[in-house]
Amino acid sequence: MSVKIRLQRHGKKGKPFYWVVAADARSKRDGKYLEKIGTYNPNTNPATIDLNIDAAVKWLHNGAQPTDTAKAILSYKGALLKHHLDGGIRKGALTQEQADVKLTEWLDAKSGKVDAKKDGLTKVQADAKAKAFKAEQDVNAKRLAVAAQAEADAIAAANPAVEEEVEASTEEAPATEENNETTEA
């Protein structure tokens, strides 16, 4: 019996959620499986992958063939690297300690990249939110200015005497500012 490591779709329409399973190659996509190895949720950014690396490596040692997508997931989480390093241990090229060190170094570097992506995404979201807030404030300020101008025009149209007083007060204001500047200097 040939075994495949593949994805089994779950979730509702438009919101896929996958189980990573080891299944007989002849079984249906969402049918009977031998062992559930992990889960994959592509709806989050970055995608959430929960994988039992030891179980995946066990199936790879037993000859299971991953599908293209499953192979990408196994590579992303380090299962293929562990399988490769175990082959080096069997051949005598590495010791178990050396393989463990290489795997932990690779996993640390990978987690650093993932954390950097998450930080970048949160920063982009915060910048977009601040930009939208600033644009909203500008629109509100313009709207208030237009409303105040319309109200002033309506008052001026209703009372022509008030308009003359407003014009006189605006003419006096620059003169008082010039007097203040000469006294300060």
Side-chain angles (χ1 to χ4, degrees):
M1 159 173 78
S2 66
V3 176
K4 291 267 191 195
I5 296 177
R6 63 183 182 201
L7 300 180
Q8 194 176 65
R9 187 185 162 124
H10 293 275
K12 60 184 183 178
K13 185 178 9 173
K15 297 283 186 181
F17 184 83
Y18 299 96
W19 287 358
V20 181
V21 297
D24 184 2
R26 298 170 293 182
S27 66
K28 296 178 183 176
R29 178 193 74 175
D30 297 337
K32 194 166 86 172
Y33 61 90
L34 301 171
E35 183 180 2
K36 179 181 172 184
I37 298 172
T39 59
Y40 167 58
N41 184 3
N43 299 317
T44 60
N45 190 8
T48 306
I49 301 171
D50 180 33
L51 185 69
N52 184 347
I53 295 175
D54 294 330
V57 170
K58 178 191 80 166
W59 282 106
L60 290 171
H61 286 326
N62 290 335
Q65 295 297 313
T67 61
D68 292 337
T69 307
K71 188 174 186 178
I73 290 171
L74 294 175
S75 175
Y76 181 81
K77 295 304 277 186
L80 290 181
L81 178 63
K82 185 170 182 174
H83 175 63
H84 175 73
L85 292 173
D86 286 350
I89 293 169
R90 281 193 306 272
K91 292 178 182 176
L94 295 171
T95 64
Q96 184 65 44
E97 293 79 23
Q98 291 172 330
D100 291 340
V101 167
K102 286 186 178 187
L103 182 64
T104 55
E105 287 176 358
W106 185 87
L107 289 173
D108 291 342
K110 186 69 169 183
S111 66
K113 289 179 185 177
V114 171
D115 291 341
K117 181 178 181 181
K118 287 180 183 178
D119 293 341
L121 289 173
T122 55
K123 183 179 179 189
V124 167
Q125 288 174 346
D127 291 345
K129 191 173 182 178
K131 186 177 179 182
F133 183 68
K134 177 68 174 155
E136 184 178 345
Q137 284 180 330
D138 293 343
V139 168
N140 285 342
K142 288 178 184 177
R143 184 179 50 81
L144 289 174
V146 169
Q149 182 63 37
E151 186 178 327
D153 291 345
I155 291 172
N159 297 329
V162 172
E163 183 178 326
E164 293 172 3
E165 291 176 13
V166 170
E167 288 177 9
S169 65
T170 56
E171 290 175 4
E172 293 173 7
T176 56
E177 288 177 7
E178 290 175 7
N179 292 339
N180 290 340
E181 289 175 9
T182 56
T183 54
E184 289 177 5

